[in-house]
Amino acid sequence: MGVELFTLKKLIGVVASFAGIVLTSTVDISGENDENRGSFPYKSPRQISIGDALALLSAVLYGIYATVMKKKVGDEARVNMPLFFGFVGLFNTVFLVPGFPVLHYLSVEVFELPPTGRIWTIILVNSAVSLISDICWAYAMLLTSPLVVTVGLSLTIPLSLIGQMILNGQTSSGLYWVGAGIVFLSFLFINYESKQQEVSQ
């Protein structure tokens, strides 16, 4: 698509990042971290495997979305971000909200409003944080490249583990940390390679 120039170093960085993700996912699937999960709810190996598969599908779709957006928009000056994400929210509402009654009627997912003010607060804060993070992601993607930003999203792995340690008292094995470290180093490597490529051009 002419969005990202392929190089061997970038390929090595992506493979390294993927290897780090596989290491962390392997620890999840093995269930070796159950005794260290703190107050985090128990998940069976089957549930964890399904979750990992859905996360992989999400990553693929996100990569396609980022590449197409970079190809069509190109420069951040050509798009009004609040308007863009306003339309994203509008389309999500139009196409997804009609599914709520269907799922409720089929007893797949019972639809009900949040029962307490605390839950409302969590939802509103999460919505605001998600909006800000999406806008930052979109600007970062237009200012750099889909590859750098997508690999950068992999940093949510070590950061989420730190969050679980703080909020749930959860710890994990050394293998998990090795995988998280590989993800972090691969992001630095790809970012450096992309900057060097820009300078050479």
Side-chain angles (χ1 to χ4, degrees), residues 3 36 47-48 89-90 100 115 128:
V3 174
N36 302 319
Q47 289 174 314
I48 293 173
L90 176 63
F100 289 170

PDB file of all heavy atoms in Angstrom, residues 3 36 47-48 89-90 100 115 128:
ATOM      1  N   VAL A   3       2.591   2.497   2.446  1.00  0.00           N
ATOM      2  CA  VAL A   3       2.528   3.229   3.710  1.00  0.00           C
ATOM      3  C   VAL A   3       3.810   3.057   4.499  1.00  0.00           C
ATOM      4  O   VAL A   3       4.340   4.011   5.068  1.00  0.00           O
ATOM      5  CB  VAL A   3       1.328   2.755   4.552  1.00  0.00           C
ATOM      6  CG1 VAL A   3       1.335   3.407   5.930  1.00  0.00           C
ATOM      7  CG2 VAL A   3       0.026   3.070   3.827  1.00  0.00           C
ATOM      8  N   ASN A  36      -0.396 -16.629  42.091  1.00  0.00           N
ATOM      9  CA  ASN A  36       0.087 -15.268  42.294  1.00  0.00           C
ATOM     10  C   ASN A  36      -0.904 -14.215  41.816  1.00  0.00           C
ATOM     11  O   ASN A  36      -0.535 -13.071  41.635  1.00  0.00           O
ATOM     12  CB  ASN A  36       1.424 -15.070  41.558  1.00  0.00           C
ATOM     13  CG  ASN A  36       2.483 -16.046  42.009  1.00  0.00           C
ATOM     14  OD1 ASN A  36       2.601 -16.322  43.190  1.00  0.00           O
ATOM     15  ND2 ASN A  36       3.242 -16.576  41.067  1.00  0.00           N
ATOM     16  N   GLN A  47     -10.861 -20.168  29.108  1.00  0.00           N
ATOM     17  CA  GLN A  47     -11.247 -18.754  29.044  1.00  0.00           C
ATOM     18  C   GLN A  47     -10.065 -17.879  28.640  1.00  0.00           C
ATOM     19  O   GLN A  47     -10.205 -16.958  27.827  1.00  0.00           O
ATOM     20  CB  GLN A  47     -11.789 -18.298  30.400  1.00  0.00           C
ATOM     21  CG  GLN A  47     -13.144 -18.874  30.752  1.00  0.00           C
ATOM     22  CD  GLN A  47     -13.573 -18.508  32.155  1.00  0.00           C
ATOM     23  OE1 GLN A  47     -12.799 -18.610  33.105  1.00  0.00           O
ATOM     24  NE2 GLN A  47     -14.812 -18.061  32.294  1.00  0.00           N
ATOM     25  N   ILE A  48      -8.894 -18.171  29.188  1.00  0.00           N
ATOM     26  CA  ILE A  48      -7.705 -17.396  28.857  1.00  0.00           C
ATOM     27  C   ILE A  48      -7.332 -17.577  27.389  1.00  0.00           C
ATOM     28  O   ILE A  48      -6.962 -16.620  26.704  1.00  0.00           O
ATOM     29  CB  ILE A  48      -6.534 -17.802  29.782  1.00  0.00           C
ATOM     30  CG1 ILE A  48      -6.837 -17.377  31.219  1.00  0.00           C
ATOM     31  CG2 ILE A  48      -5.226 -17.170  29.317  1.00  0.00           C
ATOM     32  CD1 ILE A  48      -5.829 -17.865  32.231  1.00  0.00           C
ATOM     33  N   GLY A  89     -18.004   7.278  16.946  1.00  0.00           N
ATOM     34  CA  GLY A  89     -18.993   7.022  17.995  1.00  0.00           C
ATOM     35  C   GLY A  89     -20.403   6.919  17.448  1.00  0.00           C
ATOM     36  O   GLY A  89     -21.196   6.069  17.887  1.00  0.00           O
ATOM     37  N   LEU A  90     -20.733   7.781  16.479  1.00  0.00           N
ATOM     38  CA  LEU A  90     -22.066   7.750  15.880  1.00  0.00           C
ATOM     39  C   LEU A  90     -22.323   6.425  15.176  1.00  0.00           C
ATOM     40  O   LEU A  90     -23.378   5.797  15.367  1.00  0.00           O
ATOM     41  CB  LEU A  90     -22.215   8.912  14.891  1.00  0.00           C
ATOM     42  CG  LEU A  90     -23.531   8.957  14.098  1.00  0.00           C
ATOM     43  CD1 LEU A  90     -24.714   9.155  15.040  1.00  0.00           C
ATOM     44  CD2 LEU A  90     -23.483  10.065  13.044  1.00  0.00           C
ATOM     45  N   PHE A 100     -28.373  -4.745  21.360  1.00  0.00           N
ATOM     46  CA  PHE A 100     -28.653  -4.915  22.780  1.00  0.00           C
ATOM     47  C   PHE A 100     -29.984  -5.626  23.041  1.00  0.00           C
ATOM     48  O   PHE A 100     -30.032  -6.599  23.805  1.00  0.00           O
ATOM     49  CB  PHE A 100     -28.632  -3.563  23.497  1.00  0.00           C
ATOM     50  CG  PHE A 100     -27.262  -2.954  23.628  1.00  0.00           C
ATOM     51  CD1 PHE A 100     -27.114  -1.656  24.064  1.00  0.00           C
ATOM     52  CD2 PHE A 100     -26.119  -3.678  23.327  1.00  0.00           C
ATOM     53  CE1 PHE A 100     -25.847  -1.085  24.191  1.00  0.00           C
ATOM     54  CE2 PHE A 100     -24.850  -3.132  23.448  1.00  0.00           C
ATOM     55  CZ  PHE A 100     -24.719  -1.833  23.881  1.00  0.00           C
ATOM     56  N   PRO A 115     -26.105  -0.113  38.214  1.00  0.00           N
ATOM     57  CA  PRO A 115     -26.933  -0.052  39.422  1.00  0.00           C
ATOM     58  C   PRO A 115     -26.526   1.012  40.436  1.00  0.00           C
ATOM     59  O   PRO A 115     -27.348   1.427  41.254  1.00  0.00           O
ATOM     60  CB  PRO A 115     -26.760  -1.452  40.026  1.00  0.00           C
ATOM     61  CG  PRO A 115     -25.417  -1.892  39.544  1.00  0.00           C
ATOM     62  CD  PRO A 115     -25.246  -1.287  38.184  1.00  0.00           C
ATOM     63  N   ALA A 128     -13.921   8.737  29.011  1.00  0.00           N
ATOM     64  CA  ALA A 128     -13.067   9.907  28.788  1.00  0.00           C
ATOM     65  C   ALA A 128     -11.628   9.485  28.503  1.00  0.00           C
ATOM     66  O   ALA A 128     -10.984   9.992  27.579  1.00  0.00           O
ATOM     67  CB  ALA A 128     -13.127  10.833  29.994  1.00  0.00           C
TER      68      ALA A 128
END
